[in-house]
C-alpha cells in the first residue's frame, strides 16, 4: 500500500486530482452565476456538472499514464531508476580524501557535448540550526552515486563536484571546470524528524531549468526521497538504471536510517584531510556497523578511515588489525563491491603484499570504472613495484576521472621524468601546479597541496617559488609524516642531502612509505649511497601483524 501511495505521488496523480477539483468547482460556480443572465437553457448548468464529473477519472488516468518532461508530454513507464527503489547507500561515490584533475590540453566542452553529463552540487543547508552540512553533502553524493549506475550518463566525481555549493553557483563556470552540460542544485531543511528537499536540474549553457521539484517527508523516508530524485533526474534524460548495478547497490547499503546517518557523518569527517578527523570518521563508521552489521559500505569506510589514520597519525598494531578485519568483512558481505575491493587492496599494501593488493585494486576499477581512488592507489602500487609504464597509465586515468584533482597530476611529472619523457614532465608539472593553485583558492590551509606544488615549481625551474611554497607547507603541516617525506624529496632534488635526511628521520619508521617505494623514488636518487639513508632503509619495513583472511 505504501508503495502504491508513493507511486501516486511520483506520478503527481494527487496533485492533478486537487487541481482538477478546484478548476471544476470554479467552472460550476461561473456557470451558475452567468448562464441564467445569458438566457442559456436550464439543462446547460447540469451539462457542465456532468462533464466535470465524467472528466475527473479521465484526468486521473492521463496523469497516471503520461508525464510532462523537458522534452514534452510522454508516456510514464515507471521510475527511471528501476522498478525496485535502489538502496541509496549502495552506489560508491569516492571515499578517501584527495583533491581534483584534467589531462593537459584536453577540452572540457568536447566531452560534455558528446554525451549526457551531470554534476550534483552540495545542497545548501536551510535548517534552523544550520547543522546539517554533512547531510547536505551526503545527500548530494548519494544521488550522484545512484546516477553513476545509469548507462550512458557521465557523472562528475563527487569530490570534484563537492567543491561547489548550490547557493550562488555560477553554473556556466562549474560546467566548464567539471566538463559537464548540466548540474543539479538543491536545498535541505531538516527540523526535528521532518525533511524538506528542493532540487533543480539546470542546463549550464543557458541556465535554463530543465526540471525541479520539492519533497516533504519524514526523515525515515529519506531513502525513498533519494530514489525519487535520482529517478526523476534520469527520466529528464530518458535514461534508466542498469539492473545489475541496482542489485549490487542494494547489497552494499542499509535500510537503517540511524546507521545511514552515522555513515554520512563518517564520510564528512573522512573528507577533512587531518589526522584527528580520521579518528572521528572511524568512530562514526563503528557506530554505523554496530547499528547494521551487514552495512558493506560502512565496513569499507571503517577500513579506509583506519588506513588514513595509520598513514597520518597512528601506526599502532591495533589500527592495522582493525583495517584488516573491516576490509575482510566488507569483502565477505559483498564480493562485487568496488569499495570493498578498494579497502582490501589498501589493507594489503600495509603488509607489503603488493601483488595481492594489485588484484583487488584492479577488480575495483573493473566493477566501478569511475572510482577515482581505485585508479589512484592502484597507480601508487605500480610505483612501489617500479612499474613506470603501468603507473603512468593508471595515474593518467585517475587524473582524467577527476578534472580538478592535483594529487595524481603531481605524481605524473616524476613518472614521466623516470621514463625520460621531459616534455610530458613539464606539461604535467604545469597542469598539476595549476590545479593545486585552484584548489588552494578554495582550501588555503591544505598544506599537502602546498608541498606537492613546491615540487612542481622545482620541476619547472622555479626554485625560489618552490622554496617559498615549501616554507608555507612546513608552517602549517605540523608533525604530518607526508610532509616530512615530501620535504626530504624536495631538498634531495636540490642537492641538500643532509637537510633531506633530517626530514626523513623526523618521520616515525612505521609511517615511511616502505623500502620498495623509497628505493624506486628517483626524487631520492641523490641519497642512495648516503650512510644515513642506507641505515634508514634497514628499518623501513617493520614486521606487521599477519593480515587476516585471504587476498
Amino acid at each position: 500500500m505504501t508503495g502504491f501511495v508513493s507511486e501516486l505521488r511520483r506520478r503527481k496523480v494527487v496533485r492533478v486530482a486537487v487541481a482538477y477539483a478546484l478548476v471544476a468547482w470554479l467552472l460550476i460556480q461561473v456557470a451558475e452565476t452567468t448562464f441564467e443572465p445569458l438566457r442559456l437553457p436550464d439543462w446547460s448548468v447540469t451539462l457542465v456538472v456532468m462533464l466535470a464529473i465524467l472528466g475527473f477519472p479521465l484526468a486521473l488516468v492521463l496523469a497516471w499514464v503520461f508525464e510532462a518532461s523537458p522534452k514534452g508530454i510522454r508516456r510514464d513507464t515507471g521510475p527511471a531508476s528501476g522498478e525496485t527503489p535502489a538502496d541509496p547507500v549502495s552506489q560508491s561515490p569516492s571515499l578517501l580524501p584527495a583533491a581534483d584533475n584534467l589531462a593537459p590540453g584536453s577540452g572540457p566542452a568536447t566531452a560534455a557535448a558528446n554525451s549526457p553529463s551531470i554534476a550534483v552540487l552540495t545542497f545548501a543547508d536551510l535548517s534552523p540550526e544550520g547543522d546539517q552540512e554533512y547531510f547536505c553533502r551526503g545527500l548530494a553524493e548519494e544521488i550522484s552515486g545512484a546516477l553513476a549506475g545509469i548507462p550512458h550518463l557521465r557523472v562528475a566525481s563527487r569530490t570534484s563536484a563537492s567543491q561547489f555549493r548550490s547557493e550562488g553557483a555560477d553554473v556556466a563556470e562549474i560546467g566548464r571546470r567539471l566538463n559537464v552540460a548540466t548540474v543539479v542544485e538543491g536545498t535541505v531543511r531538516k527540523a526535528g524528524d521532518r525533511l524538506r528537499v528542493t532540487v533543480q536540474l539546470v542546463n549550464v549553457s543557458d541556465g535554463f531549468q530543465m526540471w525541479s521539484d520539492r519533497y516533504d517527508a519524514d526523515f525515515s523516508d529519506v531513502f525513498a526521497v533519494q530514489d525519487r530524485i535520482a529517478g526523476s533526474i534520469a527520466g529528464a534524460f530518458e535514461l534508466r538504471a542498469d539492473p545489475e548495478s541496482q542489485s549490487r547497490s542494494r547489497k552494499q547499503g542499509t535500510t537503517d536510517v540511524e546507521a545511514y546517518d552515522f555513515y554520512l557523518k563518517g564520510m564528512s569527517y573522512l573528507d577533512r584531510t587531518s589526522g584527528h578527523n580520521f579518528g572521528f570518521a572511524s568512530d562514526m563508521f563503528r557506530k554505523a556497523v554496530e547499528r547494521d552489521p551487514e552495512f558493506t559500505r560502512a565496513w569499507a569506510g571503517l577500513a579506509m578511515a583506519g588506513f588514513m589514520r595509520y598513514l597520518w597519525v597512528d601506526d599502532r598494531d591495533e589500527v592495522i588489525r582493525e583495517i584488516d578485519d573491516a576490509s575482510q568483512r566488507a569483502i565477505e558481505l559483498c564480493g562485487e563491491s568496488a569499495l570493498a575491493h578498494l579497502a582490501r587492496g589498501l589493507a594489503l599494501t600495509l603488509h607489503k603484499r603488493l601483488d595481492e593488493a594489485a588484484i583487488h585494486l584492479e577488480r575495483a576499477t573493473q566493477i566501478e570504472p569511475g572510482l577515482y581512488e581505485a585508479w589512484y592507489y592502484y597507480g601508487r602500487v605500480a610505483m612501489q613495484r617500479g612499474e613506470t609504464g603501468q603507473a603512468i597509465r593508471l595515474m593518467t586515468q585517475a587524473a582524467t576521472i577527476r578534472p580538478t584533482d592535483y594529487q595524481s597530476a603531481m605524481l605524473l611529472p616524476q613518472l614521466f621524468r623516470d621514463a625520460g619523457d621531459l616534455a610530458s614532465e613539464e606539461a604535467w608539472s604545469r597542469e598539476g601546479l595549476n590545479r593545486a593553485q585552484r584548489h588552494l583558492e578554495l582550501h588555503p590551509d591544505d598544506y599537502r597541496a602546498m608541498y606537492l606544488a613546491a615540487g612542481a615549481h622545482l620541476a619547472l625551474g622555479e626554485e625560489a617559488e618552490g622554496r617559498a611554497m615549501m616554507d608555507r607547507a612546513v608552517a602549517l603541516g605540523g608533525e604530518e609524516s607526508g610532509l616530512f617525506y615530501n620535504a626530504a624529496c624536495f631538498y634531495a632534488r636540490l642537492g641538500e642531502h643532509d637537510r633531506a635526511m633530517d626530514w626523513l628521520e623526523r618521520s616515525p619508521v612505521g609511517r615511511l612509505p616502505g623500502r620498495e617505494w623509497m628505493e624506486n623514488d628517483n626524487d631520492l636518487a641523490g641519497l642512495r649511497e648516503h650512510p644515513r639513508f642506507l641505515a634508514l632503509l634497514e628499518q623501513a619495513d617493520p614486521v606487521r601483524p599477519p593480515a587476516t583472511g585471504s587476498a
Side-chain angles (χ1 to χ4, degrees):
M1 185 64 182
T2 303
F4 177 68
V5 172
S6 297
E7 188 66 6
L8 286 175
R9 290 175 179 168
R10 188 190 71 79
R11 295 176 185 249
K12 298 182 175 61
V13 175
V14 175
R15 198 177 297 181
V16 169
V18 172
Y20 186 95
L22 286 173
V23 172
W25 179 80
L26 285 173
L27 287 174
I28 292 169
Q29 296 305 306
V30 170
E32 290 180 341
T33 304
T34 62
F35 279 19
E36 185 175 352
L38 291 173
R39 300 183 183 280
L40 295 176
D42 293 341
W43 50 264
S44 57
V45 174
T46 304
L47 178 62
V48 170
V49 173
M50 292 302 298
L51 289 174
I53 293 172
L54 292 173
F56 184 70
L58 179 62
L60 298 186
V61 170
L62 291 174
W64 177 271
V65 174
F66 295 99
E67 67 172 343
S69 77
K71 299 185 179 181
I73 302 298
R74 64 182 188 180
R75 186 178 180 86
D76 190 331
T77 56
S81 56
E83 305 216 348
T84 305
D87 192 317
V89 253
S90 59
Q91 298 294 337
S92 43
S94 7
L95 271 178
L96 294 180
D100 290 344
N101 232 270
L102 191 83
S106 64
T110 303
N114 291 339
S115 62
S117 54
I118 192 168
V120 184
L121 309 187
T122 298
F123 288 14
D125 181 14
L126 302 184
S127 303
E129 303 299 324
D131 59 351
Q132 296 298 311
E133 182 176 354
Y134 78 92
F135 179 77
C136 292
R137 182 170 179 144
L139 179 64
E141 291 170 0
E142 296 303 324
I143 293 169
S144 179
L147 294 174
I150 297 175
H152 312 301
L153 179 62
R154 187 169 53 79
V155 183
S157 78
R158 64 104 186 172
T159 305
S160 297
S162 68
Q163 294 186 58
F164 304 97
R165 305 284 170 173
S166 290
E167 62 269 33
D170 180 346
V171 294
E173 174 63 14
I174 291 170
R176 186 189 68 79
R177 291 278 300 275
L178 297 181
N179 190 20
V180 294
T182 57
V183 299
V184 175
E185 302 176 307
T187 65
V188 171
R189 181 181 178 85
K190 186 171 180 284
D193 291 331
R194 292 294 296 172
L195 185 67
R196 169 172 289 179
V197 182
T198 61
V199 193
Q200 61 179 2
L201 177 64
V202 181
N203 189 327
V204 302
S205 64
D206 55 14
F208 175 71
Q209 188 180 100
M210 299 170 61
W211 163 85
S212 67
D213 210 339
R214 188 183 80 184
Y215 303 86
D216 292 293
D218 291 331
F219 185 68
S220 58
D221 294 327
V222 63
F223 299 156
V225 169
Q226 289 176 176
D227 185 67
R228 287 165 60 197
I229 293 171
S232 296
I233 293 170
F237 294 103
E238 298 185 344
L239 297 173
R240 297 173 66 88
D242 175 50
E244 183 179 342
S245 174
Q246 286 186 308
S247 174
R248 187 164 59 243
S249 291
R250 287 190 289 272
K251 291 178 183 178
Q252 296 182 68
T254 184
T255 56
D256 186 310
V257 292
E258 288 191 40
Y260 177 60
D261 199 49
F262 284 131
Y263 171 79
L264 292 184
K265 289 176 180 175
M267 288 287 294
S268 176
Y269 284 121
L270 190 54
D271 282 333
R272 303 174 196 175
T273 313
S274 64
H276 67 281
N277 281 315
F278 297 143
F280 293 147
S282 293
D283 291 340
M284 294 299 104
F285 290 130
R286 287 190 203 103
K287 290 179 179 179
V289 297
E290 285 171 7
R291 288 281 313 177
D292 182 356
E294 297 188 355
F295 191 175
T296 302
R297 285 180 59 191
W299 283 110
L302 180 58
M304 287 185 268
F307 178 80
M308 299 307 296
R309 277 169 53 217
Y310 182 86
L311 293 184
W312 287 61
V313 293
D314 191 351
D315 59 352
R316 293 174 300 153
D317 289 347
E318 301 92 280
V319 178
I320 289 277
R321 292 192 184 95
E322 182 174 63
I323 298 167
D324 279 334
D325 292 343
S327 63
Q328 186 65 25
R329 179 63 175 148
I331 287 288
E332 291 169 356
L333 287 169
C334 185
E336 288 303 302
S337 164
L339 289 180
H341 283 284
L342 170 60
R344 190 63 187 149
L346 295 180
L348 290 165
T349 64
L350 297 179
H351 297 279
K352 315 303 178 189
R353 290 163 57 177
L354 300 182
D355 291 345
E356 297 166 82
I359 292 171
H360 283 283
L361 294 169
E362 182 175 22
R363 182 61 185 138
T365 66
Q366 293 168 347
I367 296 171
E368 191 172 335
L371 184 58
Y372 162 85
E373 286 83 2
W375 294 98
Y376 176 75
Y377 284 101
Y378 190 10
R380 289 184 67 95
V381 166
M383 291 176 73
Q384 279 184 270
R385 298 162 85 183
E387 300 170 346
T388 301
Q390 172 81 330
I392 287 174
R393 182 184 71 82
L394 297 169
M395 283 297 178
T396 302
Q397 182 66 16
T400 303
I401 287 171
R402 255 193 208 163
T404 52
D405 176 54
Y406 66 83
Q407 294 192 113
S408 48
M410 292 292 199
L411 288 173
L412 279 164
Q414 175 185 338
L415 291 168
F416 281 114
R417 183 166 65 249
D418 294 347
D421 186 345
L422 300 185
S424 294
E425 178 194 0
E426 180 178 352
W428 276 105
S429 294
R430 184 67 65 191
E431 175 68 15
L433 186 58
N434 289 339
R435 295 179 183 188
Q437 289 171 338
R438 288 197 298 265
H439 177 78
L440 286 168
E441 290 174 4
L442 298 171
H443 307 280
D445 60 345
D446 187 343
Y447 51 86
R448 177 165 172 77
M450 292 174 194
Y451 62 65
L452 291 178
H457 277 301
L458 210 56
L460 294 168
E462 301 166 354
E463 181 180 332
E465 292 88 342
R467 287 184 182 274
M469 190 66 79
M470 182 59 73
D471 289 342
R472 286 177 60 192
V474 168
L476 288 172
E479 296 298 306
E480 196 263 296
S481 57
L483 168 63
F484 299 161
Y485 184 81
N486 281 275
C489 291
F490 180 81
Y491 291 113
R493 288 170 65 186
L494 286 170
E496 300 176 16
H497 297 159
D498 286 331
R499 190 174 184 183
M501 284 307 309
D502 290 342
W503 281 104
L504 269 184
E505 290 170 347
R506 286 184 65 178
S507 181
V509 171
R511 293 192 206 138
L512 288 171
R515 184 176 189 128
E516 297 95 337
W517 183 281
M518 290 193 289
E519 286 179 333
N520 287 299
D521 189 343
N522 281 340
D523 283 350
L524 302 178
L527 303 179
R528 297 257 165 84
E529 303 302 321
H530 198 294
R532 290 164 66 188
F533 183 74
L534 294 173
L536 194 62
L537 280 182
E538 294 300 317
Q539 308 172 54
D541 286 318
V543 177
R544 303 283 182 224
T548 58
S550 61

